[in-house]
Amino acid sequence: MSHEDLTQTPLPADGGFEVHLAQRGQTYQVPADQSILRVLSDAGVDLPFACEQGVCGTCLTKVVAGQPDHWDMFLTPEEQAANDQMLICCSRSQTARLVLDL
Ligand code: FES
């Protein structure tokens, strides 16, 4: 298992996961008590956002790999089920790694 694909691995028990930004080639650790948006903003990644409550859709981001855990009220159930986009201010991950188109 030298090349374990964490985008296929269930979320660890501590609730933390890693986010890889495909365009920037950077990986960040997201702890259970922080949003993806907060982690990236704190790291200096400048991203658009507004409500931070999963309502406005401003932080909509394309998902390249991994499975989001949708907590927003913006996407339709069908859009959420497609797992190809997510609201990074409130939604999390069901897999140990998410790859985002950022
Ligand atoms: Fe409004 Fe994420 S900032 S949905």
Side-chain angles (χ1 to χ4, degrees), residues 19-26 64 98-102:
V19 166
H20 180 72
L21 307 190
Q23 294 177 31
R24 292 169 172 81
Q26 302 267 3
V64 178
L98 274 182
V99 182
L100 301 177
D101 187 19
L102 289 174

Side-chain angles (χ1 to χ4, degrees), residues 49-52 54-57 59 87 89:
F49 68 91
C51 72
E52 286 194 76
V55 176
C56 70
C59 68
L87 282 308
C89 67

Side-chain angles (χ1 to χ4, degrees), residues 43-70:
V45 183
D46 194 20
L47 299 170
F49 68 91
C51 72
E52 286 194 76
Q53 293 178 24
V55 176
C56 70
T58 307
C59 68
L60 188 66
T61 300
K62 280 189 191 153
V63 177
V64 178
Q67 194 166 350
D69 185 14
H70 297 287

Side-chain angles (χ1 to χ4, degrees), residues 6-62:
L6 293 177
T7 64
Q8 307 289 324
T9 304
L11 189 69
D14 68 5
F17 56 94
E18 67 178 36
V19 166
H20 180 72
L21 307 190
Q23 294 177 31
R24 292 169 172 81
Q26 302 267 3
T27 302
Y28 300 93
Q29 300 299 324
V30 180
D33 62 350
Q34 273 200 301
S35 71
I36 299 172
L37 178 69
R38 273 293 130 219
V39 168
L40 297 181
S41 296
D42 288 352
V45 183
D46 194 20
L47 299 170
F49 68 91
C51 72
E52 286 194 76
Q53 293 178 24
V55 176
C56 70
T58 307
C59 68
L60 188 66
T61 300
K62 280 189 191 153

